[in-house]
Amino acid sequence: MIRLDNVSKQIGHQILFIEASAALQKGEKVGLVGPNGAGKTTLFRMITGEESPDEGQVAVDRGVTIGYFSQDVCEMSGRSAVSEVMDGAGPVSAVASELKELEAAMGDTDRADDMDDIIERYGEVQARFEELDGYALEGRAREVLAGLSFSQEMMDGDVGALSGGWKMRVALARILLMRPDAMLLDEPSNHLDLESLIWLEQFLKGYEGALLMTSHDREFMNRIIGKVIEIDGGALTTFSGNYEFYEQQRALNEKQQQAQFERQQAMLAKEINFIERFKARASHAAQVQSRVKKLEKIERVEPPRRRQTVSFDFMPAPRSGEDVVSLKNVHKGYGSRSIYQGLDFMIRRRERWCVMGINGAGKSTLLKLVAKAAEPDSGSVAVGAFASTSASPIAASVGAESAASASVKCFTARSGRCASTAIQPSASSRLAGSSAAAIRCARTPRPSARRLRTRHSKSIRRASAGSGS
């Protein structure tokens, strides 16, 4: 469907591609990986024709439709989110627009003389609209928006009133509703909450067209793709398998290349040592010349490229008290919308918490309350002695993997249970509306009885020594 043949591309002083080749076949789901700045977005733009390669060519089969979701969202305003999504639905959108124009023309008395032609054309366009399943278009648009966590009010409201993150979802919904032959998705998981991410994963798994995507969420991409194209050092390398397989294969390739490089370096050192040792002797002149020519013909093996990583350390925080944060009977709302009603919540020393919930449930509000960046409408938020609000013990997350890997306590802004222990909230500790609170927790290990006895004995000996002196 899409082929890149010996493509070279340079932007300014940075060389992105050097005679790179790759292909995207019908029905394939491919992950595009590489470090930031390697040229992933540039590759997408060359496929869509927004940019041209300096050398080589990008070939797209005749009649193939391409949907491209990028991080640059055009200005949206003056229409509902549903209308905006339907407008990008491909051919059916154009047919729907013509159908509306013909309906308006049939009601225009000034065009009575052309009514026969208008009615005839209306019949043709209506037949085409039905063929494209156009009457179900709005229903499908609402289904996609609902999957991306839009409420009915947001679907019918002015898209211009939405935040940048929600506009990104509208742009993504346009591509999903279009269902092109090939989808190019540049970081589609950005700005999505957990429920939307799960829905998008299922949608893409059921998508029958070709898919080329990038994502910083490795687990999300790993569950969808069956092939990886890597951008590294100006080259495109294809791996057959998901992201997990790619990581294993890449590590194996690097190990083999390093071993091959070391073997060749040892051989070269041996040959160079022989040449240096006998180059002044006439009796070995023929052997020296033979080995010099041999070295000139050898194709050098390059060591594997090492990606630079940044190392940094966090300064150790001072020891806090046992009660780090305490929220008692907290009420918080924005305008007429109530977020928390009588919330009681406690964080103790050495606990690790994960905050989960749908967009708007109150995750950021909880963090702001703890960090003193926001004040409750009523109730109290107390931070324990020596606790640092700049290094909050709460970690906000929208990914299920983040919560699982933490193996810690979890606060969720909607009803649910944890695999270990579930603590049901009291009537005075609940979230408003659909955000009923449930605190799910896996207890932090406590010191053993033996360790406690040892500490107690040491304390007694210290006290005795003190009194004796």
Side-chain angles (χ1 to χ4, degrees), residues 105-346:
M106 286 190 293
D108 188 356
T109 56
D110 294 336
R111 302 185 63 181
D113 295 339
D114 302 326
M115 195 58 63
D116 292 339
D117 294 336
I118 294 174
I119 293 174
E120 182 180 356
R121 179 57 183 165
Y122 183 83
E124 295 173 356
V125 174
Q126 187 180 42
R128 176 60 176 160
F129 191 65
E130 290 177 350
E131 181 184 343
L132 294 172
D133 198 21
Y135 287 108
L137 181 62
E138 182 175 348
R140 290 190 285 116
R142 290 184 179 276
E143 181 182 355
V144 171
L145 288 171
L148 296 176
S149 299
F150 279 77
S151 64
Q152 291 296 326
E153 182 181 357
M154 295 171 67
M155 292 182 196
D156 297 323
D158 186 354
V159 69
L162 299 176
S163 66
W166 286 103
K167 287 181 179 179
M168 293 285 286
R169 297 193 191 200
V170 172
L172 177 59
R174 286 169 62 107
I175 305 300
L176 301 182
L177 182 64
M178 179 182 175
R179 282 189 173 267
D181 298 320
M183 276 200 292
L184 312 179
L185 304 182
D186 190 359
E187 298 290 349
S189 56
N190 285 357
H191 308 287
L192 297 185
D193 56 15
L194 180 58
E195 285 79 5
S196 300
L197 199 63
I198 293 173
W199 179 89
L200 179 60
E201 179 183 331
Q202 296 303 317
F203 183 95
L204 295 179
K205 284 181 177 179
Y207 172 61
E208 297 179 355
L211 172 66
L212 181 63
M213 65 176 291
T214 65
S215 177
H216 287 299
D217 190 335
R218 297 180 179 181
E219 293 299 327
F220 170 74
M221 187 163 64
N222 188 61
R223 293 190 294 266
I224 295 173
I225 64 172
K227 185 176 175 181
V228 173
I229 296 178
E230 179 193 45
I231 305 176
D232 190 17
L236 294 173
T237 307
T238 302
F239 297 82
S240 296
N242 59 13
Y243 190 87
E244 184 177 354
F245 172 83
Y246 152 73
E247 285 188 314
Q248 296 171 354
Q249 190 63 41
R250 189 176 189 276
L252 179 60
N253 291 350
E254 286 184 352
K255 185 177 180 181
Q256 293 174 345
Q257 187 176 351
Q258 181 66 31
Q260 188 178 359
F261 171 75
E262 292 174 355
R263 286 195 300 269
Q264 188 182 72
Q265 290 299 306
M267 182 272 292
L268 292 174
K270 181 178 179 181
E271 296 296 331
I272 292 173
N273 183 52
F274 180 88
I275 293 171
E276 293 294 327
R277 182 178 179 184
F278 296 107
K279 65 180 180 181
R281 298 186 183 183
S283 59
H284 290 76
Q287 295 181 22
V288 169
Q289 290 298 321
S290 175
R291 298 197 181 197
V292 168
K293 292 181 179 179
K294 176 183 175 182
L295 291 181
E296 291 175 349
K297 295 179 181 179
I298 289 178
E299 184 177 352
R300 296 295 195 269
V301 176
E302 297 292 334
R305 298 184 182 92
R306 304 295 183 185
R307 294 180 179 175
Q308 295 182 348
T309 57
V310 179
S311 299
F312 56 89
D313 296 318
F314 290 104
M315 295 296 293
R319 188 189 186 283
S320 70
E322 289 300 321
D323 295 341
V324 178
V325 177
S326 175
L327 288 81
K328 294 183 179 179
N329 196 29
V330 168
H331 292 252
K332 182 64 177 178
Y334 297 98
S336 61
R337 185 182 179 191
S338 179
I339 302 297
Y340 293 114
Q341 293 181 354
L343 174 65
D344 294 326
F345 182 48
M346 172 72 75

Side-chain angles (χ1 to χ4, degrees), residues 369-385:
L369 290 171
V370 171
K372 299 294 186 179
E375 296 295 330
D377 298 335
S378 63
S380 64
V381 179
V383 178

Side-chain angles (χ1 to χ4, degrees), residues 59 69 103 154 159 177 185 192 363 404 421 426 430 453 463:
F69 170 73
E103 289 173 351
M154 295 171 67
V159 69
L177 182 64
L185 304 182
L192 297 185
K363 302 185 297 296
T421 305
S426 64
R430 65 183 185 276
R453 287 196 298 270

